Amino acid sequence: MTIDRSRIDEDNEIRLAWHESDLAHALDVIGRAGVDGEAVVAEVARFSAAAPSWAVGTGGTRFGRFPGGGEPRDTIEKIDDVAALNALTGANRSVSLHVPWDDPGPGTGAAALRRHAEERGIAFDAMNSNTFQDNPSTTRDGAVSYKFGSLANVDEGARRAAIEHNHYVIDLGVELGSRALTVWLGDGMNHPGQASFRGQFERVLDGLREIYAHVPGDWEMYTEHKPYEPAFYSSVNNDWGTSLLLAQGTGDRAKCLVDLGHHLPNTNIEQVVSRLAMVGRLGGFHFNDSKYGDDDLTVGSITPFQLFLIVGELLEAGRGHMPDAAYMIDESHNLKDPLEDLIQATDALQVALAQALCVNRDDLADAQSANDPARAAEVLHRGFRTDVRPLVAEARRRNGAALDPLATYRAVGYRASTVASRGSDAVATGL
Ligand code: RM4
Ligand code: MN
Ligand code: MN
């Protein structure tokens, strides 16, 4: 199941005349701010964010899940959905797998996955291991349990199984052509006094070192922090400081991954990004938005100004370009069609990037040197309030994708066709 390029071109054709006049106007406006519009379009066109395999299906909460039908039934079909998404956005050129949810098993499964992805033009982004659930294949058929933690567990058998699982995920990633491993742990405490803070940290660090020893020389390993959930009193890797300690204690290619929903309320995430980039330890990003906690809502839907500032810090770190990092969208689509939500998330990311690129950084630096916060605010807001949508549409068009991806997605009837082929009760595996 794919979306033909010709169908996208056909739909673009209807919008082309208006697009061209909108684009000419936008280029004019930002040119007056001393920003090179062509460079903005080129940088947006270069950007890509991986789609997670677990987000092409409906998400849910612990109170329920309301799947919409036609969801991918296996990893091959998940790759098909990511390819369809990428055909429309031109900016989701890779998929991030979660193991064991996406484990192709022994034999030729991995090679078949890789071939299928190559045929669809999709690469494999960072691999995700899972030791926050008990799965027969990660717990030695139930001989151990992660109930009291994985790498932090006082039970040596559980720690060993968790390390071996991560080694397995790395080996699978090598077969697929991935270049990174993301380790997010559910380890922590639900009750004060349940364990030793220090003991848990030391055991996690030891475990990460053993996992890292298995990571190929051209790979990176990311530690992803999160303040709470599933552990509600304390997480072992609870904040960026701990994540940095773990990375620094592990090795040069151990870096930190920032998930935008994994911060306590009011955390200045753009400052966190600046700090980690400053010390060369910013390795990965999970984009989403939130109002209260790890809500996994649509990127840019609640705090677009914060997203703009975060992307601005990334550009600062990359001297005007998005630095090399594993960018991924980590959302849970509880109400929207997952692909529609991913289309909107990708668009929001591209919009934030274009807005941040529309900030005249020289003007900002001048305002900063002059201790002129009013002028600095003007410069920032000029970028943020620019209607960059024609520039983003143009970047998509140049990538052979859709001017208006949501409208085209609906026009081509992709979901109706997956419901027809996969069934109205097809539900994706995962969370
Ligand atoms: C976690 C975290 C991880 C993701 C899981 C499914 O909250 O964000 O990145 O792998 O959810
Ligand atoms: Mn995440
Ligand atoms: Mn999360």
Side-chain angles (χ1 to χ4, degrees):
M1 177 101 34
T2 45
I3 297 181
D4 283 344
R5 174 77 188 268
S6 60
R7 291 289 283 113
I8 294 175
D9 289 344
E10 228 172 82
D11 217 54
N12 281 352
E13 205 48 48
I14 306 167
R15 298 177 166 81
L16 204 55
W18 282 1
H19 165 66
E20 276 167 355
S21 98
D22 290 350
L23 178 63
H25 176 68
L27 289 171
D28 219 36
V29 171
I30 66 169
R32 267 180 267 139
V35 173
D36 176 358
E38 275 301 320
V40 174
V41 173
E43 184 64 22
V44 174
R46 208 173 65 84
F47 179 74
S48 175
S53 67
W54 60 101
V56 284
T58 318
T61 69
R62 66 186 191 277
F63 300 105
R65 185 177 176 199
F66 304 96
E71 294 186 6
R73 292 161 296 182
D74 56 27
T75 309
I76 292 276
E77 290 182 351
K78 291 179 190 176
I79 291 169
D80 286 344
D81 279 7
V82 174
L85 172 70
N86 187 47
L88 295 162
T89 65
N92 307 102
R93 297 170 212 137
S94 58
V95 63
S96 191
L97 299 191
H98 220 303
V99 184
W101 301 335
D102 295 308
D103 189 355
T108 56
L113 268 190
R114 186 171 184 163
R115 213 171 26 250
H116 188 75
E118 270 165 14
E119 278 166 20
R120 295 275 188 266
I122 297 299
F124 290 95
D125 203 72
M127 303 292 293
N128 300 270
S129 58
N130 177 343
T131 58
F132 48 86
Q133 292 174 320
D134 281 347
N135 291 290
S137 65
T138 65
T139 57
R140 299 176 172 157
D141 284 321
V144 299
S145 168
Y146 299 132
K147 179 175 177 181
F148 294 104
S150 58
L151 297 182
N153 203 319
V154 288
D155 173 19
E156 219 232 304
R159 295 205 301 276
R160 259 306 90 234
I163 291 166
E164 275 164 19
H165 167 63
N166 276 278
H167 287 177
Y168 176 85
V169 175
I170 294 166
D171 292 342
L172 175 60
V174 168
E175 282 193 74
L176 295 173
S178 169
R179 297 286 294 278
L181 172 73
T182 299
V183 181
W184 173 71
L185 301 169
D187 295 41
M189 292 183 224
N190 264 19
H191 308 284
Q194 178 192 325
S196 147
F197 287 125
R198 186 174 175 153
Q200 283 195 325
F201 178 91
E202 286 170 353
R203 288 190 290 276
V204 166
L205 181 57
D206 283 348
L208 289 175
R209 284 179 175 152
E210 280 200 51
I211 295 166
Y212 183 77
H214 200 76
V215 164
D218 58 346
W219 273 48
E220 292 188 339
M221 184 176 102
Y222 309 131
T223 50
E224 177 181 1
H225 72 269
K226 176 168 170 171
Y228 68 90
E229 193 201 18
F232 283 103
Y233 166 62
S234 65
S235 284
V236 180
N237 188 6
N238 63 309
D239 62 10
W240 72 274
T242 302
S243 194
L244 181 59
L245 286 178
L246 291 170
Q248 286 173 334
T250 301
D252 289 347
R253 286 171 292 105
K255 297 186 173 172
C256 303
L257 184 145
V258 174
D259 181 313
L260 297 189
H262 292 191
H263 308 268
L264 291 174
N266 302 332
T267 299
N268 189 332
I269 305 175
E270 53 273 26
Q271 188 176 20
V272 171
V273 169
S274 168
R275 290 281 193 273
L276 289 174
M278 186 178 79
V279 294
R281 295 281 178 168
L282 187 65
F285 245 93
H286 283 179
F287 291 103
N288 48 51
D289 212 340
S290 68
K291 182 80 178 157
Y292 304 105
D294 189 23
D295 306 343
D296 285 334
L297 297 173
T298 318
V299 176
S301 62
I302 313 272
T303 55
F305 188 60
Q306 177 182 258
L307 179 65
F308 158 81
L309 293 173
I310 289 167
V311 175
E313 290 307 323
L314 288 167
L315 291 174
E316 180 83 24
R319 296 174 195 283
H321 299 281
M322 285 295 267
D324 266 349
Y327 298 107
M328 192 194 90
I329 296 166
D330 194 2
E331 293 182 347
S332 179
H333 324 287
N334 298 347
L335 302 180
K336 292 180 194 162
D337 173 331
L339 287 174
E340 295 200 351
D341 206 355
L342 287 166
I343 287 169
Q344 291 182 325
T346 305
D347 180 59
L349 268 173
Q350 293 175 305
V351 164
L353 174 55
Q355 289 168 330
L357 288 162
C358 282
V359 172
N360 188 321
R361 299 274 147 193
D362 295 336
D363 285 355
L364 186 63
D366 286 350
Q368 290 171 349
S369 316
N371 276 331
D372 189 346
R375 169 105 188 98
E378 285 295 309
V379 176
L380 273 188
H381 287 150
R382 188 167 190 175
F384 180 63
R385 291 175 182 152
T386 308
D387 185 358
V388 295
R389 288 173 300 175
L391 305 176
V392 168
E394 178 61 13
R396 272 195 294 264
R397 197 185 62 80
R398 290 192 194 172
N399 281 336
L403 284 169
D404 185 341
L406 186 65
T408 303
Y409 174 76
R410 290 188 172 190
V412 303
Y414 183 79
R415 184 56 71 200
S417 63
T418 70
V419 169
S421 64
R422 298 170 185 166
S424 56
D425 53 0
V427 177
T429 52
L431 277 184

